[in-house]
């Protein structure tokens, strides 16, 4: 575990490790979480880009998850969040990004195309994840098996509540989403799980030290290769 004193320290440590990946392979394939936790790391990476110490513009980016049923340009679209937080400041052109659709006439085809694009790219080099209060990674809500595919899901009440502050209330949170599957995430060559704050302490402990179970999807990270946990003291309880 990469233990940090606080959130700023966590963001710097994770950004340094991310930048090393991009320096070794400038066109690395990456999955980028949204949510609050990785924002400090993305900002720190933007600082490194501006300082000229790393180039992130050649990364090939795959979306982790998206709300379903909203317009692609809805203010709540997670693609827009990822674009504002990472893609635009890093100069990643849209054609290097594989999206998950918020609307589709044919979700099965869109899902097949997403997983095929990952396979065609040779798999994922680095997957950035946050940890949901119910142990979800991406929007793999419990129960989710280790081989769960990319799919449509109903958000749990717990996840709707945790997403409410993003958009100004529970009634603003879409109830359906599409998520990269567990099998996509767990097959990534490296996985950074970023966890901050005392509210995540119990679920982080369960994910890392509890039974490996579909009830806590993040617990499958215990048996995946290449996992690195970046946690601050509040989350790690250390
Ligand atoms: C976001 C995502 C979610 C979040 C998780 C933690 O794209 O897939 O799994 O990473 O809910 O959210 P925060 O970081 O806001 O606590």
């Amino acid at each position: 575990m990469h233990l940090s004193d606080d959130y700023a320290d966590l963001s710097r440590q994770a950004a340094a490790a991310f930048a090393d990946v991009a320096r070794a392979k400038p066109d690395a394939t990456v999955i980028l979480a949204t949510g609050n936790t990785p924002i400090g790391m993305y900002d720190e990476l933007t600082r490194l880009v501006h300082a000229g110490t790393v180039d992130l513009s050649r990364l090939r980016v795959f979306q982790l998850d998206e709300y379903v049923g909203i317009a692609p340009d809805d203010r709540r679209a997670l693609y827009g969040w990822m674009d504002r937080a990472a893609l635009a400041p890093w100069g990643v052109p849209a054609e290097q990004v594989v999206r998950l659709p918020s609307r589709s006439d044919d979700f099965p085809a869109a899902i097949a195309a997403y997983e095929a694009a990952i396979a065609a790219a040779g798999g994922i080099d680095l997957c950035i994840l946050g940890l949901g209060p119910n142990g979800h990674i991406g929007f793999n809500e419990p129960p989710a098996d280790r081989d769960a595919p990319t799919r449509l899901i109903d958000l749990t009440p717990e996840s709707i509540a945790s997403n409410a502050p993003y958009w100004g209330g529970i009634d603003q949170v879409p109830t359906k989403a599409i998520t990269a599957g567990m099998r996509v995430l767990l097959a990534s060559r490296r996985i950074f799980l970023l966890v901050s704050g005392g509210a995540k302490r119990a679920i982080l402990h369960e994910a890392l030290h509890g039974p490996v179970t579909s009830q806590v999807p993040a617990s499958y990270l215990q048996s995946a290769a290449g996992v690195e946990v970046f946690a601050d003291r509040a989350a790690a309880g250390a």
Side-chain angles (χ1 to χ4, degrees), residues 33-38 64-65 130-132 136-139 166 200:
T34 53
N36 287 326
T37 314
L64 173 60
D65 43 20
L131 178 63
H136 73 214
I137 47 178
F139 276 141
Y166 304 160
K200 298 276 178 76

Side-chain angles (χ1 to χ4, degrees), residues 12 60 77 92 116 198 215-216 225 232:
R12 275 192 301 271
R60 290 172 290 161
V92 179
Q215 297 304 324
V216 182
D232 57 21

Side-chain angles (χ1 to χ4, degrees), residues 55-236:
D55 175 14
L56 302 178
S57 68
R58 291 174 55 197
L59 292 177
R60 290 172 290 161
V61 177
F62 294 79
Q63 196 170 353
L64 173 60
D65 43 20
E66 183 58 275
Y67 297 122
V68 163
I70 58 172
D73 61 352
D74 188 286
R75 71 183 177 95
R76 297 162 295 179
L78 296 180
Y79 179 82
W81 191 348
M82 177 172 72
D83 187 39
R84 291 186 295 277
L87 306 179
W90 301 349
V92 179
E95 56 270 22
Q96 277 162 232
V97 185
V98 175
R99 296 179 65 160
L100 285 167
S102 57
R103 283 185 180 160
S104 175
D105 296 335
D106 190 349
F107 272 108
I111 285 166
Y114 174 85
E115 291 209 352
I118 290 178
I124 299 294
D125 293 308
L126 175 60
C127 177
I128 302 299
L129 297 175
L131 178 63
N134 59 354
H136 73 214
I137 47 178
F139 276 141
N140 288 280
E141 299 281 48
D145 283 319
R146 73 175 81 232
D147 59 353
T150 300
R151 65 202 184 288
L152 295 170
I153 56 97
D154 291 317
L155 289 170
T156 59
E158 209 169 358
S159 293
I160 291 173
S162 78
N163 283 205
Y166 304 160
W167 316 117
I170 279 183
D171 59 340
Q172 298 292 313
V173 182
T175 57
K176 291 185 184 302
I178 180 169
T179 184
M182 293 294 292
R183 68 184 184 195
V184 169
L185 308 185
L186 296 174
S188 302
R189 284 182 276 280
R190 293 180 74 183
I191 299 173
F192 291 179
L193 178 71
L194 275 53
V195 192
S196 171
K200 298 276 178 76
R201 186 169 166 174
I203 190 64
L204 177 60
H205 187 269
E206 224 182 309
L208 298 183
H209 306 293
V212 175
T213 164
S214 60
Q215 297 304 324
V216 182
S219 67
Y220 289 116
L221 295 171
Q222 290 180 36
S223 48
V227 178
E228 292 171 61
V229 180
F230 293 81
D232 57 21
R233 290 188 183 282

